[in-house]
Amino acid sequence: MSQVLVDANVLLDVPTEAPAWFDWSARTLEDQAAQAPLCSNPLIYAEVSVGFERIEELDEALPPADFTRLPLRWEAGFLAGKAFVRYPRDGGQHHSPLPDFLIGAHAAVARLPQLTRDVRRHRSHFPRLRLICPDPA
């Protein structure tokens, strides 16, 4: 595996010690980091930033030495827009903003596996995307 794009939901589970997800997210991040470089993009960085007061704290939590910072690709913007338009037609509600689709589209276009807990939306709108996700209960 060349790289793994890590979604904000997984990244936030660790510093917040999310009761339902801390163990799974911490263990999976560690396992994936042992196999391939972990990656982020500007949208993931922005989503994670809400949990920090200062940029220096965020950069300490997501150091560039541990999380490769990838630029967003233009093709991902197009694919995300199409998924965003289809989402309500497929029964989804726009509670989640367009950035979630951009993150999934980025992984799909770059052919990177995505570490996420947002399984349903990504599977239905990016069917070829390889997800690293919790096993269904």
Side-chain angles (χ1 to χ4, degrees):
M1 203 178 324
S2 60
Q3 297 175 313
V4 174
L5 189 65
V6 183
D7 207 347
N9 54 36
V10 174
L11 292 172
L12 285 169
D13 287 343
V14 177
T16 63
E17 296 185 15
W21 292 108
F22 173 80
D23 289 338
W24 182 86
S25 293
R27 182 180 66 251
T28 306
L29 278 167
E30 186 176 322
D31 292 347
Q32 291 304 310
Q35 297 177 44
L38 302 178
C39 301
S40 181
N41 68 29
L43 292 168
I44 295 166
Y45 187 86
E47 288 184 332
V48 174
S49 76
V50 302
F52 296 86
E53 290 295 319
R54 299 177 47 237
I55 193 169
E56 293 83 5
E57 294 169 358
L58 176 56
D59 285 342
E60 189 175 313
L62 299 179
D66 295 341
F67 292 89
T68 303
R69 294 179 177 188
L70 301 176
L72 262 163
R73 297 172 57 169
W74 291 97
E75 300 93 335
F78 183 83
L79 181 59
K82 297 306 173 196
F84 188 71
V85 168
R86 279 193 325 267
Y87 187 58
R89 287 190 287 205
D90 294 342
Q93 297 180 16
H94 278 229
H95 295 295
S96 186
L98 182 58
D100 289 340
F101 289 101
L102 277 164
I103 293 166
H106 180 191
V109 167
R111 296 185 178 158
L112 296 173
Q114 183 180 7
L115 174 55
T116 187
R117 291 190 286 100
D118 191 4
V119 178
R120 190 180 132 265
R121 184 177 321 135
H122 288 302
R123 277 212 175 113
S124 62
H125 289 88
F126 307 107
R128 288 187 229 126
L129 178 60
R130 180 171 170 253
L131 296 178
I132 302 165
C133 55
D135 291 326

